[in-house]
Amino acid sequence: MLLLGAAMKAAKEAGNAAMKLGTPEGLEEAVQHYTRAITLDGGNHVYWSNRSAAHVSLGKAKAAISDAEMCVELNPGWIKGYARLGTCLLYTSPS
């Protein structure tokens, strides 16, 4: 269990570092790292939220919204999940 926790933390931290690059390549890398974290612990709402942020930054509306909705489903009391979903809807809706 300790190794699994370390692997999840490492995947999240690598995703965060890749997000900070702000490049399309960095964002794609972030998606991969967050996907790894989700594979290890699909019940962690933060991983879904972070991957949603990477998707919306890449302009991948459906994926971003889907991940944000999963985040809210997993933890309906976490306000940031609703903010993430709202951001996805705002930036992906037609003008």
Side-chain angles (χ1 to χ4, degrees), residues 21-38:
L21 296 174
T23 63
E25 296 82 11
L27 295 169
E28 289 289 352
E29 183 181 333
V31 167
Q32 292 173 9
H33 289 298
Y34 295 136
T35 298
R36 173 80 174 135
I38 289 167

Side-chain angles (χ1 to χ4, degrees), residues 8-83:
M8 291 182 298
K9 182 178 178 182
K12 180 184 179 227
E13 289 176 356
N16 292 348
M19 281 283 288
K20 288 180 183 177
L21 296 174
T23 63
E25 296 82 11
L27 295 169
E28 289 289 352
E29 183 181 333
V31 167
Q32 292 173 9
H33 289 298
Y34 295 136
T35 298
R36 173 80 174 135
I38 289 167
T39 300
L40 295 169
D41 181 7
N44 186 313
H45 62 284
V46 174
Y47 301 157
W48 292 94
S49 175
N50 290 356
R51 191 172 73 172
S52 174
H55 281 310
V56 80
S57 295
L58 286 165
K60 297 181 178 181
K62 288 183 183 180
I65 292 168
S66 177
D67 282 358
E69 288 175 337
M70 179 59 78
C71 171
V72 169
E73 183 179 322
L74 289 170
N75 190 344
W78 195 54
I79 301 303
K80 188 174 178 179
Y82 295 98

